[in-house]
């Protein structure tokens, strides 16, 4: 049986990532805050949310639409999803319990352990089939419909009864019947486990009737060598069956493991949605644009909302065919938060999740990279500017034409003239390569230089500042300004004007 809740044609298998890049994304976009909200205290859900989000960056929209349909079903039937997930946890507990049992490695021991485990799994399979039968009419997505249909078809009552009958027979209540032939040196060969012919005689005939002729012998009670030899013969006969039963046990465990993994992602989405709903924050299922586009309404940073546990300011944007976004304006005006909200929404959209906005539409990206400013290297092996260039070089090595790069105060560790020139050259090269670029900067030389070039695909945004210096945390279209209004922060902290102003 297959699960197919994350992909239409294959089971989920996380792609090998780029540990350094993933660590940067986690830190810069505050993704652990989102994953903790999804986990709800379950480390496995946390890890699955992380794996799915980092394994979903491609240009194929089909998995997104497929997962959105499954997630909509999960949001409409939250309790049923939790019941299904609880069944998979029962399977994991049974597996742990079985591993704690002491058994040898002989075929007989393997067979005995497999029988015990399968007997326990039979009860879970029945529960799973009943849950599928009860929930089938309330789920409409292709993923859940196929899963529930498969469970009801392949785990029918007639089939389960046959399995239980076979399991009972493999306990050999009437002894083990083996077939063999003579091999070289008159030694036994080709030992095969046989199914006893059913005895169709009545009980009276069995008692009074004549027994068929047979040759037999008995091992004396104290003949340890004979008992050991007979046990070895029995193991040779049951070995193929023991291996097959062990494989069947592993197959059922593998199914429950995979079901748990894929359900865990949707359970995490459900937990996150409930927290955002409690805060009164909007969510929506994003639309995938076939063309380069970024449009949204009331987009906000999920990590900020979850950390502060209150509603935060959202932003609106209409940017069709734009590939360069330059963000300038007042300090502490919400530029970095805006940058995080865009990165979070892009990753969540491509994972098939809802996003934190009233509406969101964007094209797909094959990779999302962040280049945020860092503190000085504590080991003093390199300067801050060298570290920035080294990180940029490693990002370039992994870039593809449909990627997205989010810069936050990059290349400001040197003087403005040098930093602006380097940044302009990097931005131009990325745009020529087909990369979507977001750049938050206080370097007026950089921002004004790009503005004067009148690049057709560029959009210049500015953090709004009211006349009295108040920040609204709104990001609006606007050309760069020479000042970042740091004096406002000085007055806010020291309650007096900046000297010399």
């Amino acid at each position: 049986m297959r699960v197919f809740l994350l992909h239409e044609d294959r089971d989920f298998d996380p792609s090998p990532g780029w540990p350094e890049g993933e660590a940067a994304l986690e830190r810069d976009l505050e993704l652990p805050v989102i994953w903790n909200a999804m986990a709800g205290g379950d480390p496995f859900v946390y890890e699955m949310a992380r794996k799915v989000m980092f394994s979903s960056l491609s240009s194929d929209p089909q998995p997104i639409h497929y997962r959105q349909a499954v997630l909509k079903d999960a949001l409409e039937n939250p309790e049923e999803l939790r019941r299904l997930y609880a069944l998979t946890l029962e399977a994991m507990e049974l597996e742990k319990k079985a591993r704690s049992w002491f058994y040898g490695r002989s075929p007989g021991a393997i067979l005995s352990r497999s029988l015990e485990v399968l007997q326990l799994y039979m009860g879970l399979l029945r529960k799973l089939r009943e849950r599928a039968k009860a929930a089938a009419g309330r789920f409409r997505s292709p993923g859940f419909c196929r899963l529930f249909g498969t469970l009801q078809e392949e785990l029918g009552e007639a089939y389960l009864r046959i399995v239980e009958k076979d399991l009972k027979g493999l306990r050999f209540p009437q002894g083990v019947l083996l077939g063999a032939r003579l091999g070289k040196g008159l030694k036994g060969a080709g030992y095969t486990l046989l199914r006893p012919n059913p005895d169709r005689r009545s009980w009276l005939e069995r008692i009074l009737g004549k027994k068929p002729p047979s040759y037999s012998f008995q091992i004396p009670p104290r003949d340890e060598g004979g008992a050991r030899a007979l046990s070895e013969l029995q193991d040779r006969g049951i070995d193929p069956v023991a291996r097959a039963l062990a494989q069947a046990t592993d197959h059922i465990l593998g199914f429950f493991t995979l079901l748990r993994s894929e359900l865990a992602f949707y359970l995490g989405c459900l937990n996150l949605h409930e927290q955002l709903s409690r805060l009164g924050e909007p969510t929506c299922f994003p639309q995938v644009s076939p063309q380069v586009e970024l449009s949204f309404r009331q987009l906000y940073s999920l990590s900020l909302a979850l950390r502060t546990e209150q509603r935060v300011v959202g932003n609106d944007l209409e940017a069709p065919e734009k590939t360069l976004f330059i963000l300038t304006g007042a300090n502490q005006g919400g530029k970095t938060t805006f940058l995080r909200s865009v990165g979070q929404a892009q990753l969540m959209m491509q994972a098939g999740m809802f996003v934190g906005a009233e509406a969101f539409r964007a094209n797909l990206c094959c990779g999302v990279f962040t280049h945020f400013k860092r503190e000085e290297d504590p080991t003093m092996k390199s300067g801050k500017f060298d570290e920035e260039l080294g990180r940029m070089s490693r990002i370039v090595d992994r870039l593809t034409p449909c990627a997205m790069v989010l810069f936050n105060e990059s290349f400001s560790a040197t003087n403005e003239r040098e930093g602006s020139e380097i940044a302009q050259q990097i931005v131009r090269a990325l745009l020529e390569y087909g990369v979507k670029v977001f750049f938050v900067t206080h370097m007026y030389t950089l921002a004004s230089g790009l503005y004067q070039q009148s690049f057709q695909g560029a959009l210049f945004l500015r953090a709004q500042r009211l006349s009295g210096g108040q920040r609204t945390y709104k990001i609006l279209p606007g050309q760069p300004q020479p000042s970042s209004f740091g004096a406002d922060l000085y007055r806010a902290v020291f309650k007096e004007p900046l000297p010399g102003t």
Side-chain angles (χ1 to χ4, degrees):
M1 292 184 294
R2 314 300 287 271
V3 178
F4 293 154
L5 288 179
L6 289 174
H7 294 280
E8 186 176 10
D9 55 354
R10 60 185 173 90
D11 294 324
F12 175 71
D13 182 20
S15 58
W18 179 33
E20 181 182 347
E22 291 177 359
L25 275 176
E26 289 184 27
R27 175 179 176 176
D28 296 336
L29 301 184
E30 297 183 342
L31 297 177
V33 178
I34 299 175
W35 297 334
N36 276 319
M38 296 177 70
D42 187 335
F44 186 78
V45 176
Y46 181 101
E47 190 58 30
M48 278 305 302
R50 182 181 184 278
K51 288 179 178 178
V52 173
M53 199 172 288
F54 282 150
S55 300
S56 304
L57 293 169
S58 75
S59 58
D60 183 10
Q62 192 278 333
I64 297 176
H65 299 147
Y66 187 78
R67 292 177 190 176
Q68 285 183 352
V70 174
L71 180 53
K72 288 176 183 177
D73 267 347
L75 294 175
E76 292 175 3
N77 302 276
E79 294 307 316
E80 196 59 51
L81 183 78
R82 288 192 167 93
R83 292 189 189 101
L84 289 172
Y85 186 71
L87 284 177
T88 66
L89 295 183
E90 286 188 46
M92 299 303 106
E93 289 299 319
L94 288 179
E95 195 272 338
K96 290 180 182 179
K97 181 180 178 181
R99 274 191 290 150
S100 68
W101 296 339
F102 177 77
Y103 285 93
R105 297 183 178 180
S106 66
I110 294 173
L111 179 64
S112 180
R113 177 186 182 278
S114 299
L115 286 171
E116 295 295 336
V117 175
L118 279 176
Q119 197 65 50
L120 294 174
Y121 279 154
M122 292 303 295
L124 279 182
L125 290 174
R126 270 199 167 86
K127 289 181 182 179
L128 186 61
R129 185 197 63 193
E130 292 305 316
R131 291 257 58 86
K133 183 178 179 181
R138 300 195 298 272
F139 288 74
R140 297 183 295 274
S141 65
F144 271 119
C145 287
R146 178 165 57 178
L147 174 64
F148 292 156
T150 300
L151 290 173
Q152 293 183 69
E153 180 180 349
E154 298 194 12
L155 297 178
E157 185 60 32
Y159 170 75
L160 293 180
R161 286 177 180 174
I162 291 174
V163 172
E164 289 181 333
K165 181 180 179 182
D166 288 341
L167 293 179
K168 183 178 180 180
L170 287 172
R171 296 184 184 277
F172 308 121
Q174 297 178 348
V176 179
L177 179 63
L178 300 178
R181 56 182 174 79
L182 288 177
K184 293 182 179 180
L186 298 181
K187 293 182 178 180
Y191 286 90
T192 307
L193 181 65
L194 302 177
R195 185 190 298 272
N197 291 324
D199 193 344
R200 304 184 185 282
R201 297 176 299 168
S202 65
W203 66 271
L204 188 60
E205 291 176 326
R206 294 176 190 176
I207 296 175
L208 302 177
K210 185 178 180 182
K211 296 182 180 179
S214 63
Y215 297 95
S216 63
F217 69 93
Q218 292 183 345
I219 297 177
R222 296 182 180 275
D223 187 355
E224 296 181 0
R228 185 165 51 252
L230 187 61
S231 177
E232 290 174 357
L233 292 178
Q234 177 176 301
D235 282 346
R236 292 174 66 179
I238 67 175
D239 181 63
V241 176
R243 292 180 183 276
L245 212 59
Q247 290 178 358
T249 305
D250 291 341
H251 175 75
I252 295 176
L253 175 61
F255 169 74
F256 275 111
T257 301
L258 191 59
L259 182 61
R260 178 197 182 197
S261 299
E262 301 201 8
L263 286 176
F265 170 71
Y266 294 105
L267 178 61
C269 294
L270 181 60
N271 292 337
L272 177 61
H273 189 272
E274 289 178 349
Q275 290 202 42
L276 295 174
S277 298
R278 178 174 54 82
L279 295 175
E281 291 286 14
T283 58
C284 71
F285 280 95
Q287 296 180 341
V288 177
S289 173
Q291 308 296 330
V292 175
E293 181 181 355
L294 180 62
S295 302
F296 49 77
R297 187 171 67 252
Q298 291 301 301
L299 177 70
Y300 61 93
S301 169
L302 270 74
S303 59
L304 180 60
L306 292 168
R307 279 192 291 104
T308 60
E309 294 191 343
Q310 61 183 10
R311 293 203 64 174
V312 295
V313 175
N315 280 284
D316 301 340
L317 186 69
E318 290 289 336
E321 300 182 355
K322 301 297 183 183
T323 56
L324 174 61
F325 300 80
I326 302 296
L327 286 80
T328 60
N331 284 304
Q332 303 295 317
K335 300 185 297 297
T336 300
T337 299
F338 177 87
L339 198 64
R340 286 196 180 105
S341 68
V342 171
Q344 292 169 2
Q346 187 73 36
L347 289 172
M348 293 173 69
M349 178 186 75
Q350 301 209 201
M353 300 172 62
F354 50 81
V355 301
E358 292 181 359
F360 187 90
R361 180 179 174 87
N363 61 288
L364 298 182
C365 295
C366 298
V368 177
F369 303 88
T370 55
H371 191 277
F372 282 36
K373 63 179 180 180
R374 297 280 187 261
E375 298 301 324
E376 193 78 38
D377 183 1
T379 65
M380 301 302 292
K381 293 181 180 179
S382 64
K384 193 173 180 180
F385 189 57
D386 288 339
E387 187 274 337
E388 286 189 300
L389 293 176
R391 264 193 298 133
M392 190 67 238
S393 177
R394 291 188 290 275
I395 289 174
V396 169
D397 291 340
R398 313 241 349 153
L399 279 176
T400 57
C402 61
M404 172 193 289
V405 182
L406 308 173
F407 293 95
N408 186 32
E409 299 294 345
S410 300
F411 314 116
S412 58
T414 184
N415 64 75
E416 180 164 340
R417 180 180 177 183
E418 183 180 54
S420 297
E421 180 61 29
I422 291 173
Q424 281 197 45
Q425 293 186 27
I426 289 175
V427 168
R428 284 198 296 266
L430 293 177
L431 295 176
E432 290 175 3
Y433 192 55
V435 175
K436 185 183 287 188
V437 177
F438 290 77
F439 211 120
V440 171
T441 183
H442 288 300
M443 295 189 292
Y444 179 70
T445 304
L446 168 62
S448 62
L450 292 171
Y451 184 79
Q452 292 169 8
Q453 294 177 28
S454 300
F455 179 65
Q456 185 177 4
L459 179 62
F460 290 81
L461 303 169
R462 196 169 68 218
Q464 187 181 44
R465 171 187 176 272
L466 302 181
S467 57
Q470 298 92 340
R471 273 61 166 165
T472 65
Y473 307 110
K474 286 288 187 180
I475 306 297
L476 304 173
Q479 70 182 74
Q481 292 180 329
S483 174
S484 296
F485 302 100
D488 293 340
L489 301 182
Y490 184 91
R491 286 194 298 269
V493 173
F494 297 101
K495 310 302 182 185
E496 62 181 27
L498 183 68
T501 60

